[in-house]
Amino acid sequence: LALAADLPPSRLAQSRAKLSTLLRERQGGQVALVAFADDAYTVAPLTEDAANVALFLDALSPDVMPVDGQRADRAIEWSARLLKQSGFDRGRILVMTDHAGDGAKQAASAAAKQGFLVDVMGVGGEAGAPFRRGDGTFANARLDEASLRGLASAGNGRYARIASDDGDLRALG
C-alpha cells in the first residue's frame, strides 16, 4: 500500500514528508515512531528529541516489515502501551492509513478510555492506485474516508486527509 502512486511519487514518500514537517514544527513534548503492517513495531522510542526521530523516516519501507498486512489496531494498542509504560496518562496517537476496520475502531476506543486520543490522517486517493503485494499479486489501494472518520471518532480524535500544504496538520491541531 505504501508504494501505491496515487500520491506521487508514492504514499510512502508523501507520508515521510508529512511526518518530517510534523516533527520539525511540533512544540515540545515526547514523540515516538511506530510502523505497522501485520504487527506493530517501535521504530523510534519515546523521546523529546524530535530531530532524532526524524532520522528514522528514511528507513521506513515495506521491505523492513516481516509480514504484509495493515493492522492499525495493533499499532494503536502498541502506541497506547508505549505511552502507558512511560508513565503517561494522556497523549495523542496519530495513525496514517487509507482505511480502518472494526478492530482498529475498538482499539481507538480503548485507547481513548485510557486518555490517549487517536487522530487519523487519511493517506491516498479516492480512485486508488494499484500496488504489488509481498506475494507478487496486485491489488488496488483506495482511500476510505468514512472508515477513517469513524476511527477518529472512536478515538475521540480528529480526522484530516493528507494535503500538499500544512492544512491537514493544522486541522489535526
Side-chain angles (χ1 to χ4, degrees):
L1 295 174
L3 299 178
D6 51 349
L7 299 176
S10 70
R11 289 179 177 192
L12 179 59
Q14 290 290 333
S15 296
R16 282 181 185 152
K18 191 58 62 175
L19 285 171
S20 179
T21 300
L22 175 64
L23 291 169
R24 187 177 58 250
E25 300 295 325
R26 61 181 282 104
Q27 303 279 320
Q30 293 204 10
V31 63
L33 181 60
V34 172
F36 67 96
D38 188 56
D39 210 347
Y41 306 91
T42 302
V43 177
L46 279 164
T47 179
E48 290 187 17
D49 187 356
N52 187 45
V53 175
L55 295 174
F56 291 92
L57 294 178
D58 286 340
L60 291 178
S61 167
D63 301 342
V64 301
M65 299 309 238
V67 180
D68 281 347
Q70 198 169 9
R71 297 288 306 269
D73 59 324
R74 292 185 175 169
I76 294 165
E77 291 164 355
W78 186 255
S79 298
R81 190 175 311 124
L82 284 176
L83 289 162
K84 198 86 161 161
Q85 288 173 347
S86 295
F88 292 98
D89 58 3
R90 63 185 176 87
R92 297 184 86 102
I93 297 169
L94 172 62
V95 178
M96 297 177 74
T97 188
D98 67 354
H99 75 279
D102 290 337
K105 291 173 190 168
Q106 291 168 358
S109 178
K113 288 176 185 166
Q114 295 177 64
F116 308 119
L117 305 181
V118 179
D119 294 325
V120 181
M121 183 174 293
V123 180
E126 292 170 3
F131 72 98
R132 184 185 297 249
R133 292 184 174 129
D135 64 5
T137 62
F138 284 91
N140 193 50
R142 182 172 291 126
L143 180 66
D144 180 357
E145 288 194 282
S147 72
L148 297 179
R149 282 188 172 84
L151 177 60
S153 178
N156 292 334
R158 299 174 184 168
Y159 171 77
R161 184 176 182 175
I162 196 168
S164 58
D165 61 13
D166 64 352
D168 48 2
L169 294 176
R170 283 195 314 270
L172 294 175

